Amino acid sequence: MDLNFNKNEDHNKLLLSDLNQRFIKVSLGGGKKRIEKLHSQGKMTARERIDYLLDEKSKSIEIAAFAGEDMYEEHGGCPSGGVVVKIGYIQGKQCVVVANDATVKAGAWFPITGKKNLRAQEIAIENKLPIIYLVDSAGVYLPLQDEIFPDKEHFGRIFRNNAIMSSMGITQIAAVMGSCVAGGAYLPIMSDESIIVDKTGSIFLAGSYLVKAAIGESIDNETLGGATTHCEISGVTDYKAKDDEDALNTIKNIVGKIGDYDKAGFNRIEAKNPLENPEDLFGIIPKSRADQYDMYEVIKRLVDNSEYDEYKAGYGQTIITCYARIDGWAVGIVANQRKLVKTKKGEMQFGGVIYNDSADKATRFIANCNQKKIPLVFLQDVTGFMVGSKSEHSGIIKDGAKMVNAVSNSVVPKFTIIIGNSYGAGNYAMCGKAYDPRLIAAWPSAELAVMSGNSAAKVLLQIEKASLEKSGEKITPEKEAELFNKIKDRYDNQVSPYYAAARIWTDGIINPLDTRTWVSMGIEAANHSPIEKAFNLGVLQV
C-alpha cells in the first residue's frame, strides 16, 4: 500500500468514527434523564421496543437516523426527528417498524417527524411490506403546527396512506404504548389490528382538560380513553396488553401467522463475499473530493466474488455499466468512473463527468436491465455533465435527457449509493432522490449540492463583490479573501452529507462496509412487490 492510500484510510476512518459518535448521540434521543424517567414509568424506549420486536441477531437497517440534525435548536432539538424507523425481520418476515420517541418532546410531531413517517410509509407501499407502528406521541408540536398540519405532505397524509395501504392489502399493526391523541388517534383504528398497553396507553381526540374546557365534563384520562375503555366499551382496540413486552409479543404472534407473499422474481443464487478486501475502500476513496481514483476497485469490493460482466467496456468510459451480484442478487451497476480516461480517438475525458457517449451507454444499459428484470444500483461520484461548445454542438443536453428519461421510467427497483460528489444534473441522471430510488444512502465522504463548495463560493463571491462595489465599497484583496472564506464555509456546511440526511434527502449515512446489506435488504424488500408496469421510454429525440 502506498502513502496516499494510508492517508486516505486515516481520513476516511476518522469520518467513520465521527459518524459512529454522532449516531451514539442521536441514539440517546432526549437524553439519559428522560430515558430514566421513561423506565420509571415501566416503559421501554423507542429503540428498546424495536430491538425487542426484531428477531435476535438478524440484520436491520435504520432509515433517517440523522433526521432533524441541527434543524430545531431554538426548540431544544429533535434527535432522529423524534421517531425511529427500521427495516428488519419479525418472526422471519421483513417489516417496517416505526416507533415514536417519547424522550423527545413527549414524542411530539415536528415537521421533519411527519416527513420521516411518510418516508416509512412510502417504503412500505413501494415494497408492499408489513408496517408496525409503536405509538407514544403527544401529537403535533404546536409551536410549528403551520409547518406540519395543513399541506399535502403533512400530518394528515399519514392517515390517507393508512387507508391506501389497507386497500392494497398491506398489513398494518399499531401498538399504543403511551399517548395517542387528537388526529393521531385515528392511526390505530385505521390499522388492521391494534393493541393498547394497560395503564400507560391512552387514545382520545381530546384529553380530560380539553373535554372539561369544551363541554364541562369532568373525567380522568384512563376512563376517557384507557385500555379498558377501548378494549371493552368503544371497541377501538383489539388487544389489551399488560406491559410493553406483552404488547410486542402480541405483535410477534400476529406477524408470525401472516401468509407468504407474491414475488417479483428477482434472480438470486448463493451469496459469496468479495474476494478483494472491502476494508480497502477506506484507502481507495481519496481525502479530497477533487482527486481521481478507479471506481473499478470500489466495485470489486462490493460485489460477490469481486466478479462483474462489463457492458460496452470501451465506450463511454466515464460511466461504468456492468452486471454483477450483491449478496447473491443479480444487479445492474451504473457507476461514475473517477479516473481520467483516454478514448479510442485519443481524447482525454475527465473522471466523474458525464459525456455524450457515457450518457448514451447508460441509457441503453438501463433499458437492458428493465428488459431482463434486473434491479439497478447507482454508485454516484459525479460532478455533472460535460460543458463547452464541443459538447453542446454534439447534443449533450439531448443525450443527458435520454439518460434522465431512462432513469425516470425504469420499472425495476433502483438503489443509489452516494460515494463522493453528487452535483447538479449529475445527481438527477444518476438516480438522485427525485427519481424514486427504493433506498438512497450516502457514505461519510459524500457531498450533495448544485456544485462544489469551491466553485459555488467563486460564483457567489463575484455576485457579492459586484453588489458591494455598486454601493461604493472598495474591495481589498484581504476583504475578498475574507468574503470568499465566509461564503465557502457556509456553502460547505450545506454540501455535508449530514445536512442532506437531516432533511431526509437521503435515507441515511452509512459505513461503506454496510453497503452490501443495504442493497441486499432493499432488493429483498422490493421482491415483495411484483412489477406491474411495462418499461416505456415515451418520446425520445434520437
Side-chain angles (χ1 to χ4, degrees):
M1 298 299 176
D2 61 22
L3 182 62
N4 200 45
F5 182 98
N6 293 334
K7 286 180 179 179
N8 291 340
E9 186 176 44
D10 289 344
H11 173 74
N12 286 311
K13 287 195 171 179
L14 281 173
L15 291 181
L16 179 61
S17 176
D18 179 50
L19 170 64
N20 292 335
Q21 291 301 314
R22 286 172 182 254
F23 182 73
I24 289 169
K25 184 178 178 182
V26 298
S27 295
L28 291 174
K32 292 181 179 179
K33 286 186 178 180
R34 289 179 183 171
I35 291 173
E36 289 169 4
K37 183 179 178 182
L38 211 63
H39 287 162
S40 71
Q41 297 169 348
K43 296 163 70 175
M44 297 178 176
T45 66
R47 292 182 182 277
E48 289 168 345
R49 287 167 176 166
I50 293 178
D51 288 345
Y52 184 89
L53 186 60
L54 296 181
D55 295 346
E56 193 174 354
K57 295 182 181 178
S58 65
K59 291 183 178 180
S60 65
I61 57 178
E62 182 166 348
I63 302 298
F66 295 104
E69 176 120 326
D70 297 330
M71 287 178 65
Y72 303 104
E73 297 308 302
E74 68 276 22
H75 295 277
C78 187
S80 282
V83 63
V84 182
V85 175
K86 286 192 179 184
I87 303 173
Y89 301 89
I90 303 171
Q91 302 291 79
K93 291 182 170 61
Q94 199 175 35
C95 301
V96 179
V97 185
V98 182
N100 299 115
D101 188 347
T103 69
V104 180
K105 291 287 191 293
W109 288 57
F110 282 66
I112 200 66
T113 316
K115 186 172 183 178
K116 185 169 176 178
N117 275 268
L118 289 170
R119 177 62 181 137
Q121 289 185 319
E122 181 181 38
I123 290 169
I125 290 170
E126 283 182 328
N127 299 293
K128 296 184 179 176
L129 287 179
I131 184 167
I132 317 299
Y133 308 100
L134 306 180
V135 185
D136 195 347
S137 171
V140 167
Y141 183 63
L142 290 177
L144 296 172
Q145 65 84 28
D146 62 318
E147 298 178 40
I148 179 62
F149 171 67
D151 209 348
K152 180 180 178 181
E153 299 295 334
H154 283 178
F155 189 73
R157 189 79 170 181
I158 301 290
F159 315 120
R160 175 264 187 194
N161 286 350
N162 288 144
I164 295 297
M165 281 190 278
S166 182
S167 72
M168 294 174 66
I170 297 171
T171 299
Q172 300 176 84
I173 303 168
V176 180
M177 311 177 84
S179 297
C180 183
V181 302
Y186 288 105
L187 188 143
I189 198 59
M190 295 191 75
S191 298
D192 302 320
E193 296 185 79
S194 57
I195 303 142
I196 185 168
V197 179
D198 196 21
K199 300 298 185 288
T200 56
S202 58
I203 308 170
F204 34 66
L205 293 179
S208 56
Y209 292 121
L210 188 53
V211 168
K212 177 70 174 176
I215 64 173
E217 180 184 1
S218 295
I219 188 169
D220 63 273
N221 282 337
E222 185 64 27
T223 306
L224 180 65
T228 300
T229 294
H230 286 309
C231 286
E232 300 176 18
I233 300 173
S234 73
V236 166
T237 51
D238 306 307
Y239 307 90
K240 184 199 285 189
K242 63 182 180 182
D243 54 26
D244 280 8
E245 286 191 8
D246 189 28
L248 297 169
N249 286 334
T250 302
I251 294 171
K252 290 182 181 184
N253 293 336
I254 296 169
V255 173
K257 295 176 180 64
I258 296 174
D260 204 359
Y261 56 90
D262 295 333
K263 295 175 177 62
F266 302 123
N267 184 288
R268 191 181 199 186
I269 61 173
E270 183 182 351
K272 294 182 179 178
N273 291 324
L275 290 180
E276 301 287 347
N277 186 2
E279 289 274 353
D280 292 345
L281 290 169
F282 296 107
I284 292 169
I285 303 303
K287 179 178 178 179
S288 169
R289 293 275 34 85
D291 287 352
Q292 305 272 299
Y293 65 95
D294 191 349
M295 185 63 80
Y296 288 107
E297 296 303 318
V298 173
I299 293 171
K300 288 178 195 175
R301 287 154 180 84
L302 294 179
V303 302
D304 290 16
N305 227 25
S306 299
E307 293 177 342
Y308 55 86
D309 300 309
E310 190 168 4
Y311 173 80
K312 287 186 179 292
Y315 177 68
Q317 295 177 70
T318 63
I319 284 183
I320 299 167
T321 49
C322 61
Y323 300 105
R325 290 189 183 274
I326 293 179
D327 199 32
W329 295 103
V331 296
I333 295 174
V334 181
N336 302 112
Q337 172 59 297
R338 281 303 312 270
K339 275 182 69 175
L340 194 68
V341 298
K342 189 174 184 179
T343 70
K344 296 295 182 184
K345 296 178 181 178
E347 298 171 337
M348 300 304 295
Q349 293 184 340
F350 295 101
V353 179
I354 302 174
Y355 289 77
N356 298 73
D357 53 359
S358 45
D360 174 60
K361 177 172 79 170
T363 302
R364 291 168 180 261
F365 182 72
I366 291 165
N368 283 344
C369 287
N370 274 270
Q371 187 181 54
K372 296 179 178 71
K373 205 160 71 171
I374 299 174
L376 285 158
V377 176
F378 293 83
L379 302 178
Q380 281 197 13
D381 195 342
V382 58
T383 53
F385 286 88
M386 190 58 191
V387 296
S389 61
K390 185 175 181 180
S391 291
E392 297 294 357
H393 295 171
S394 299
I396 186 66
I397 296 173
K398 182 176 65 176
D399 290 321
K402 285 192 281 189
M403 183 175 174
V404 169
N405 194 321
V407 173
S408 302
N409 285 298
S410 179
V411 296
V412 295
K414 299 166 292 194
F415 302 90
T416 301
I417 306 296
I418 305 173
I419 291 174
N421 304 327
S422 181
Y423 297 153
N427 169 282
Y428 300 160
M430 290 295 294
C431 196
K433 182 65 182 289
Y435 293 81
D436 297 323
R438 295 293 177 98
L439 292 173
I440 177 169
W443 289 2
S445 49
E447 291 187 358
L448 289 82
V450 171
M451 61 182 75
S452 72
N454 202 54
S455 298
K458 287 177 181 177
V459 173
L460 293 168
L461 175 64
Q462 296 308 312
I463 296 170
E464 183 77 7
K465 274 180 63 181
S467 176
L468 291 171
E469 287 171 348
K470 192 175 181 180
S471 62
E473 186 171 340
K474 186 178 179 182
I475 307 299
T476 63
E478 293 76 18
K479 177 69 174 177
E480 184 172 334
E482 181 187 339
L483 278 172
F484 176 82
N485 290 329
K486 184 179 178 181
I487 292 167
K488 188 175 184 300
D489 287 346
R490 184 175 71 243
Y491 197 88
D492 283 346
N493 176 59
Q494 293 180 1
V495 305
S496 159
Y498 294 96
Y499 191 91
R503 289 150 183 81
I504 319 184
W505 299 343
T506 63
D507 290 317
I509 305 171
I510 66 171
N511 182 338
L513 302 182
D514 292 334
T515 302
R516 282 169 55 86
T517 298
W518 272 68
V519 173
S520 176
M521 287 187 66
I523 298 175
E524 183 182 351
N527 205 36
H528 286 70
S529 183
I531 297 171
E532 298 171 351
K533 180 182 175 184
F535 178 62
N536 186 343
L537 283 177
V539 177
L540 276 178
Q541 292 185 22
V542 286

